[in-house]
């Protein structure tokens, strides 16, 4: 259980707002993967994760969700900038991140402590983070990086 | 002191409002982006603007530029709130005339220190600004 403090009501309110954002993101990511039109751009997906990150880090007891949302935001930002290729591996990872967060926000709504992201998923996000950092320190390339095969092997 | 808080995420607006209330600032309005905030700034008198940078519609940076370009609002003290200590973004905000910035997450004490810093830098110590509108 999360401590019943000054922030209890805010956490529940946040869980509802974050769930709306995540549902929107998951629908958009599914549409991207299917090559279908979606009103929410990748920039919008990034902003949703960004908002979840900033707010979760501001609410005691939800820091673990803030760190996970930061991982999702980083990948969404790299996709939005065209650093990463929009392929099933990367979109699937982002969708898995959104799924994990959605489940944890259900726990928050029930006043339960959120759990850390599963290690395998975290490892994949860490791998993406390292590759994005490498890209940023390397000479600019016109081709987006495909992590499809690499993510499957992790 | 009358404050306008602008953020597209309503939980974040609530968090900032709660912190301001804890600090004794009771007269706080909110807006969900720059497009909503601008008419509010025109139709009412605000002593301080706290805005997020990353917002759809009119971003915090565009709101800041609009405020600085408007003779009626140009002197309004503005504090930006950001989730990243993104140097580029902060430099852009500084060039656009921001008075201060605070990186999320932040405590009530940090927020109070930032507000005081803004008013001290402007040569309008907080007690004077507050006196115009009541405490604090």
């Amino acid at each position: 259980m999360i401590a019943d403090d000054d922030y209890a009501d805010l956490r529940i309110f946040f869980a509802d707002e974050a769930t709306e954002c995540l549902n929107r993101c998951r629908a958009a990511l599914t549409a991207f993967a299917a090559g279908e039109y979606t009103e929410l751009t990748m920039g919008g997906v990034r902003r949703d994760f960004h908002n979840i990150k900033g707010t979760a880090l501001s609410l005691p007891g939800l820091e673990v969700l803030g760190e996970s949302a930061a991982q999702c935001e980083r990948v969404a930002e790299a996709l939005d900038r065209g650093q990463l290729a929009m392929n099933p591996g990367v979109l699937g990872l982002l969708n898995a991140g959104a799924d994990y967060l959605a489940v944890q926000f259900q726990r928050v709504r029930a006043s339960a402590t959120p759990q850390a992201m599963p290690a395998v998923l975290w490892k994949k996000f860490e791998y993406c983070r390292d590759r994005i950092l490498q890209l940023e320190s390397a000479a600019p390339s016109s081709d987006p990086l495909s992590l499809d095969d690499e993510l499957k092997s992790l | 002191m009358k404050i306008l808080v602008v953020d597209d995420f309503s939980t974040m607006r609530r968090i900032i409002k709660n912190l301001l209330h804890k600090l004794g600032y009771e007269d706080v309005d909110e807006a969900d982006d720059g497009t909503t905030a601008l008419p509010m700034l025109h139709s009412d008198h605000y002593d301080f603007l706290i805005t997020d940078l990353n917002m759809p519609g009119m971003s915090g940076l565009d709101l800041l530029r609009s405020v600085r370009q408007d003779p009626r609002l140009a002197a309004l003290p503005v504090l930006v709130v950001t989730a990243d200590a993104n140097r580029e973004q902060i430099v852009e905000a500084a060039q656009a005339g921001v008075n201060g910035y605070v990186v999320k997450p932040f405590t009530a004490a940090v927020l109070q220190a930032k507000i005081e810093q803004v008013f001290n830098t402007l040569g309008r110590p907080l007690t004077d600004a507050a006196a115009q509108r009541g405490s604090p």
Side-chain angles (χ1 to χ4, degrees):
Chain A
M1 292 282 283
I2 309 182
D4 183 18
D5 52 22
D6 289 353
Y7 295 95
D9 289 345
L10 265 176
R11 277 191 290 260
I12 306 287
F13 184 82
F14 175 41
D16 289 338
E17 190 174 23
T19 301
E20 262 181 52
C21 288
L22 290 166
N23 287 342
R24 192 166 57 218
C25 286
R26 289 191 291 184
L29 291 167
T30 304
F32 289 137
E36 292 168 359
Y37 170 78
T38 165
E39 212 167 277
L40 190 66
T41 61
M42 189 52 79
V45 171
R46 185 205 66 80
R47 193 170 46 246
D48 276 338
F49 285 124
H50 173 84
N51 279 333
I52 292 171
K53 173 190 76 176
T55 309
L57 291 174
S58 301
L59 287 171
L62 304 188
E63 294 84 354
V64 68
L65 301 184
E67 287 157 14
S68 299
Q71 294 277 28
C72 295
E73 184 196 3
R74 192 176 294 115
V75 172
E77 187 171 22
L79 285 167
D80 189 38
R81 286 181 176 174
Q83 292 174 306
L84 293 183
M86 220 180 274
N87 55 38
V90 179
L91 290 171
L93 176 65
L94 211 43
N95 225 331
D99 285 345
Y100 150 78
L101 285 168
V103 169
Q104 297 314 309
F105 278 111
Q106 284 175 16
R107 291 180 60 86
V108 172
R109 203 182 285 114
S111 300
T113 305
Q115 296 166 325
M117 184 183 273
V120 175
L121 196 55
W122 185 262
K123 189 178 165 186
K124 289 185 179 189
F125 274 110
E126 286 284 276
Y127 182 80
C128 287
R129 187 197 63 177
D130 292 346
R131 295 303 308 269
I132 294 165
L133 287 174
Q134 281 171 17
L135 278 178
E136 284 168 358
S137 59
S141 163
S142 55
D143 294 327
L145 179 68
S146 172
L147 295 178
D148 211 20
D149 292 336
E150 294 163 64
L151 286 171
K152 277 178 203 157
S153 69
L154 286 172
Chain B
M1 182 155 85
K2 192 172 173 74
I3 302 175
L4 180 62
V5 174
V6 189
D7 197 306
D8 61 316
F9 208 65
S10 64
T11 313
M12 202 62 223
R13 292 198 301 273
R14 281 195 180 200
I15 290 172
I16 296 172
K17 238 177 141 171
N18 280 7
L19 293 176
L20 289 168
H21 286 172
K22 272 187 188 171
L23 293 169
Y25 301 100
E26 295 293 337
D27 200 357
V28 183
D29 288 339
E30 41 181 296
D32 59 7
D33 75 349
T35 312
T36 315
L38 260 186
M40 292 174 75
L41 289 168
H42 282 134
S43 64
D44 210 341
H45 176 86
Y46 288 93
D47 302 291
F48 194 47
L49 172 65
I50 300 178
T51 181
D52 185 24
L53 282 179
N54 290 291
M55 293 183 289
M58 184 189 270
S59 73
L61 205 55
D62 289 338
L63 173 63
L64 174 62
R65 288 182 181 128
S66 297
V67 164
R68 290 293 176 251
Q69 283 164 11
D70 187 328
R72 290 169 296 169
L73 301 174
L76 180 68
V78 180
L79 179 75
V80 297
V81 173
T82 174
D84 307 294
N86 180 332
R87 196 181 147 74
E88 215 170 281
Q89 215 175 36
I90 291 165
V91 167
E92 251 187 312
Q95 286 168 344
V98 79
N99 300 97
Y101 73 92
V102 60
V103 180
K104 297 177 211 172
F106 51 86
T107 60
V110 168
L111 183 57
Q112 176 64 13
K114 291 284 180 183
I115 295 172
E116 282 174 9
Q117 194 181 38
V118 165
F119 281 91
N120 286 339
T121 307
L122 288 170
R124 291 153 56 186
L126 201 49
T127 45
D128 294 350
Q132 298 167 13
R133 296 243 143 210
S135 62

